[in-house]
Amino acid sequence: MILDNKQNGLVGDTLKKYLAKDASLSFVTNRFSIFAYQKLRKELKQVKDVRLLFGSPCFDGSLPSTLLGDENEIIERNKMQQMHIARKCAEWIENKVDVEEAKVPGAIATKLFHIKGSQEIAISGSSDFTCSGLGYCPSSSFDMNTLITDQESADQLLGWFNSLWNHDAMTHNAKEKMLAELEKLYKDNAPEFIYFVTLYNLFKDLLSDMDEDQIIKTKTGFKDTIVWNKLYNFQKDGVLGAIDKLEKYNGCIIADSVGLGKTFEALAVIKYYELRNDRVLVLAPKKLRENWTVYT
């Protein structure tokens, strides 16, 4: 039987049908979403035991964690229930699940769900353990999975799973790593941490562009000027950002609270362009004309 998560049946609904109190679940996936867990939470809670095998390294720090799902699960994330779901998922992992992951990226390409209970079945194909992989989120991908109810064929797939699970050279235990990643989702964080995470996600795409040597042509002698050396580090960052945006977009606004040095930052930008033999025009209220004349 074909399961394509569209016209021909959903992987999630099929799993619900066969997950029972005495069942053992073994599955291979490259992605694990806490929202997929939530969709099957009632059924997963009653199974006897679970073996979860990741087909690629997921918790070695080289890739971002996929526990909050893929691009198709933004609707689930917008419900703002991540902390509660992550906590319940961690309890389930702690009590019922053994977790292994492959040591090499892409080592196991095939996805598999195997259930052994009063009836033995397997689902083999392309679906990961995500909402879209279960068929519960809209997706533009075309899944192809096969439901296998023939015991001999299901046994062969279980044997294949066991050979990977017991292959110490290929896989290793990842339960503690997974629990640590889940804890990041449900633990309380200091307001300062949330603030910095927000700033990072707003500006992370700009960080790679902030290369001081690329922004400032060092041969101008700009770094040796009086105004540059009077600036605090945060003001220097502001000047670099302003010059970078002027070069890219032909315009920039420096906006900050009173007393944090906007004037000195503007003076440094002026000095930079003067050293490049560019012409500079300062437009200021009449009463501030003398200030600018003195400073420049």
Side-chain angles (χ1 to χ4, degrees):
M1 178 180 177
I2 292 175
L3 303 172
D4 62 1
N5 289 328
K6 291 181 172 64
Q7 292 90 356
N8 295 303
L10 307 183
V11 171
D13 285 353
T14 305
L15 289 173
K16 284 183 177 182
K17 180 179 177 181
Y18 292 101
L19 288 171
K21 192 171 184 179
D22 62 341
S24 294
L25 170 64
S26 304
F27 67 105
V28 183
T29 183
N30 281 331
R31 288 174 173 265
F32 181 100
S33 162
I34 62 171
F35 303 114
Y37 158 77
Q38 179 68 7
K39 300 294 183 183
L40 299 180
R41 179 179 164 189
K42 179 180 177 182
E43 289 76 17
L44 291 172
K45 188 177 181 179
Q46 67 179 355
V47 298
K48 183 171 63 175
D49 51 59
V50 181
R51 291 185 295 173
L52 164 57
L53 175 58
F54 287 95
S56 287
C58 290
F59 306 110
D60 62 356
S62 62
L63 295 172
S65 171
T66 62
L67 294 175
L68 288 178
D70 56 27
E71 64 278 2
N72 299 308
E73 294 177 60
I74 188 170
I75 295 175
E76 298 299 325
R77 290 192 288 274
N78 286 345
K79 294 177 182 178
M80 302 298 288
Q81 297 177 334
Q82 293 95 313
M83 289 184 66
H84 172 72
I85 297 172
R87 192 184 302 276
K88 293 297 182 183
C89 183
E91 292 173 0
W92 175 69
I93 296 286
E94 179 71 44
N95 295 326
K96 285 202 174 182
V97 184
D98 290 321
V99 184
E100 298 267 331
E101 67 176 354
K103 297 178 180 179
V104 180
I108 309 171
T110 301
K111 318 303 190 320
L112 172 70
F113 297 91
H114 182 278
I115 299 173
K116 188 166 188 177
S118 56
Q119 183 175 356
E120 184 176 1
I121 66 102
I123 299 173
S124 178
S126 62
S127 285
D128 281 308
F129 192 75
T130 61
C131 279
S132 53
L134 298 181
Y136 293 140
C137 285
S139 171
S140 58
S141 63
F142 292 90
D143 290 317
M144 174 57 71
N145 302 280
T146 304
L147 170 62
I148 299 164
T149 55
D150 171 67
Q151 184 170 345
E152 182 178 352
S153 299
D155 271 340
Q156 288 178 348
L157 287 170
L158 180 60
W160 173 79
F161 178 93
N162 289 336
S163 67
L164 299 174
W165 185 264
N166 297 315
H167 199 310
D168 293 338
M170 179 183 289
T171 63
H172 58 192
N173 187 279
K175 182 169 180 173
E176 293 305 316
K177 293 180 182 179
M178 186 174 185
L179 288 172
E181 289 296 315
L182 285 166
E183 185 181 5
K184 293 178 184 178
L185 299 181
Y186 66 74
K187 73 175 183 178
D188 293 325
N189 292 294
E192 293 88 348
F193 176 79
I194 303 299
Y195 176 66
F196 290 131
V197 168
T198 302
L199 288 179
Y200 172 76
N201 282 282
L202 285 173
F203 299 112
K204 62 182 178 181
D205 294 334
L206 301 176
L207 295 178
S208 59
D209 297 332
M210 291 294 288
D211 188 320
E212 185 172 325
D213 291 331
Q214 289 183 1
I215 296 170
I216 295 179
K217 312 313 189 263
T218 54
K219 292 182 180 180
T220 62
F222 177 61
K223 292 182 181 178
D224 298 323
T225 60
I226 293 173
V227 66
W228 175 258
N229 288 290
K230 280 186 176 291
L231 298 177
Y232 292 102
N233 287 336
F234 77 90
Q235 294 170 328
K236 290 179 179 179
D237 289 340
V239 171
L240 292 175
I243 293 172
D244 182 49
K245 290 170 179 60
L246 284 166
E247 294 294 316
K248 286 183 178 178
Y249 309 115
N250 202 34
C252 178
I253 295 175
I254 297 177
D256 215 333
S257 299
V258 174
L260 292 182
K262 295 185 296 296
T263 301
F264 273 79
E265 291 178 24
L267 289 166
V269 174
I270 291 171
K271 176 60 69 175
Y272 173 74
Y273 283 103
E274 285 181 341
L275 291 171
R276 290 179 56 184
N277 295 318
D278 289 326
R279 298 178 65 191
V280 177
L281 171 65
V282 177
L283 300 175
K286 185 176 181 179
K287 66 180 181 179
L288 297 180
R289 181 182 184 278
E290 294 303 318
N291 287 5
W292 280 96
T293 301
V294 169
Y295 277 123
T296 54

